[in-house]
Amino acid sequence: MSNHLLPASIFSTSAATSSSASKPFLKAKPMLALTALLALAGCSNGQNETNETASSEVTKTTEATENNTAAADDNVLRIGTEGAYAPFNYTNADGTLGGFDVEIANAICDDMQMTCEIMAQDWDGIIPGLKAGKYDAIVAAMSVTPERAKQVAFTDPYFSNALVFLAKKDSSFDPANSGDINAHSIAAQRSTISSQWLENTYPKANMKLYDTLSNAFLDLGSGRVDAMISDKLPALEWLGSASGSDYVLKGDEIDINDNFAIAVRPNDEALQAKINQSLANIKSNGTYDKINQKYFAVPVSATPTAASTAAPTTVDSAAQ
């Protein structure tokens, strides 16, 4: 209710009448004004009550929505992976994520009776993304290292890795000869176990570092580098492609006691325990071996590795 609803005569009659005639009206005007004010007050209070009631209902609805969202989120496990490290994780042509890591993550979520929400994250930002709460766990062929363990909490290992060198079939490159390593340009993915091992073991090596493994393989296949060091299984994956058909493994596998594990935030002990239990479950019920054979043909435990070079005593926390 507003002032324009008050009778117009209240304001216009007094100006048109004589002073004597106006006096009774002027005496009545305060009463009318008071009545109007009381009416306004009544309308105002009623409106406030309505607003308060509406506000209360909106608050209750918002709280209920937030509670329902929180309840829904409790059943979602958000997973971060790189999406560029085949066969462990890669991005399909349609933008979906696939690979060994992705299937292991989904199997763990199924066992936990949770929904997996898997997203891609560039490798250099994958631990910062976890710490910032972008996702709840990392499943991305991440090696367990002492330095990394200061930033994240690791689950039990779900894969054991070895390193290999690759070069052209007709190349004389021999990684058993340190002189050959120092004399040839060698590709590696930046911030991985491979690059850190090479840097620590052969500090004079002519390394060419790349943001992704795919780019490293691309330069190797294009002849822009002489050789490459990589995790064994991504190397075998590439050697089986058209681009890698003229290349082979050089020298022996390098066993550096490298284990892949799932990373969670240090204060997520409950989640760490649940993932460990589900990891144990999928290993015991055959799900793990089924996924493993799909990508690697034989169980990892049946794949022997031969050490050609001792592992370095320390590995940087940025290694993959």
Side-chain angles (χ1 to χ4, degrees):
M1 185 171 290
S2 59
N3 288 338
H4 74 271
L5 295 178
L6 295 174
S9 59
I10 292 177
F11 302 102
S12 59
T13 306
S14 58
T17 58
S18 63
S19 58
S20 59
S22 66
K23 285 180 183 179
F25 182 81
L26 290 175
K27 288 180 181 179
K29 185 175 180 180
M31 292 299 294
L32 289 172
L34 179 59
T35 301
L37 288 173
L38 289 173
L40 282 170
C43 289
S44 176
N45 288 339
Q47 185 65 42
N48 285 344
E49 289 171 0
T50 302
N51 288 341
E52 288 172 2
T53 301
S55 176
S56 175
E57 292 302 319
V58 169
T59 301
K60 289 177 182 177
T61 302
T62 302
E63 288 174 351
T65 301
E66 289 175 349
N67 288 338
N68 289 337
T69 301
D73 287 346
D74 286 343
N75 199 44
V76 173
L77 184 61
R78 299 171 304 158
I79 303 288
T81 194
E82 185 182 8
Y85 203 71
F88 290 97
N89 53 80
Y90 50 80
T91 304
N92 295 306
D94 62 359
T96 59
L97 294 165
F100 180 76
D101 289 331
V102 173
E103 293 207 31
I104 289 295
N106 280 319
I108 288 172
C109 285
D110 287 345
D111 187 78
M112 294 171 68
Q113 297 185 339
M114 297 182 73
T115 299
C116 255
E117 196 174 274
I118 305 176
M119 61 194 79
Q121 169 66 55
D122 290 343
W123 182 254
D124 286 346
I126 204 161
I127 286 182
L130 175 69
K131 294 168 75 174
K134 186 175 180 180
Y135 29 81
D136 307 306
I138 297 170
V139 188
M142 179 174 281
S143 297
V144 177
T145 68
E147 287 297 321
R148 254 200 210 113
K150 295 177 182 177
Q151 302 182 68
V152 301
F154 283 109
T155 65
D156 297 333
Y158 69 94
F159 194 85
S160 294
N161 177 49
L163 304 182
V164 293
F165 282 98
L166 305 84
K168 267 203 164 183
K169 291 177 179 178
D170 59 1
S171 171
S172 62
F173 174 73
D174 181 6
N177 184 342
S178 60
D180 267 17
I181 291 180
N182 293 334
H184 291 80
S185 56
I186 301 175
Q189 184 182 3
R190 179 181 291 109
S191 301
T192 63
I193 283 287
S194 301
S195 63
Q196 293 298 329
W197 179 89
L198 186 61
E199 183 178 22
N200 290 340
T201 310
Y202 298 99
K204 294 181 180 179
N206 180 17
M207 286 194 301
K208 303 293 183 184
L209 300 178
Y210 299 83
D211 289 337
T212 67
L213 196 67
S214 298
N215 286 336
F217 280 130
L218 182 63
D219 267 16
L220 178 65
S222 301
R224 287 188 282 268
V225 290
D226 302 319
M228 179 172 167
I229 187 169
S230 165
D231 288 347
K232 177 186 175 182
L233 292 172
L236 294 177
E237 177 91 357
W238 184 77
L239 290 174
S241 69
S243 300
S245 59
D246 290 333
Y247 293 78
V248 293
L249 299 181
K250 294 285 186 174
D252 295 328
E253 296 176 8
I254 305 163
D255 183 1
I256 57 172
N257 191 31
D258 179 24
N259 295 305
F260 296 168
I262 298 168
V264 299
R265 286 179 288 274
N267 60 341
D268 282 348
E269 295 94 347
L271 177 59
Q272 181 187 31
K274 287 179 181 178
I275 292 176
N276 276 336
Q277 183 59 60
S278 289
L279 188 55
N281 290 346
I282 67 171
K283 285 182 177 179
S284 64
N285 66 22
T287 303
Y288 178 90
D289 278 345
K290 183 177 179 181
I291 297 170
N292 188 77
Q293 289 193 26
K294 175 180 176 180
Y295 288 92
F296 311 130
V298 295
V300 177
S301 58
T303 305
T305 58
S308 62
T309 310
T313 54
T314 59
V315 180
D316 189 275
S317 62
Q320 182 142 341

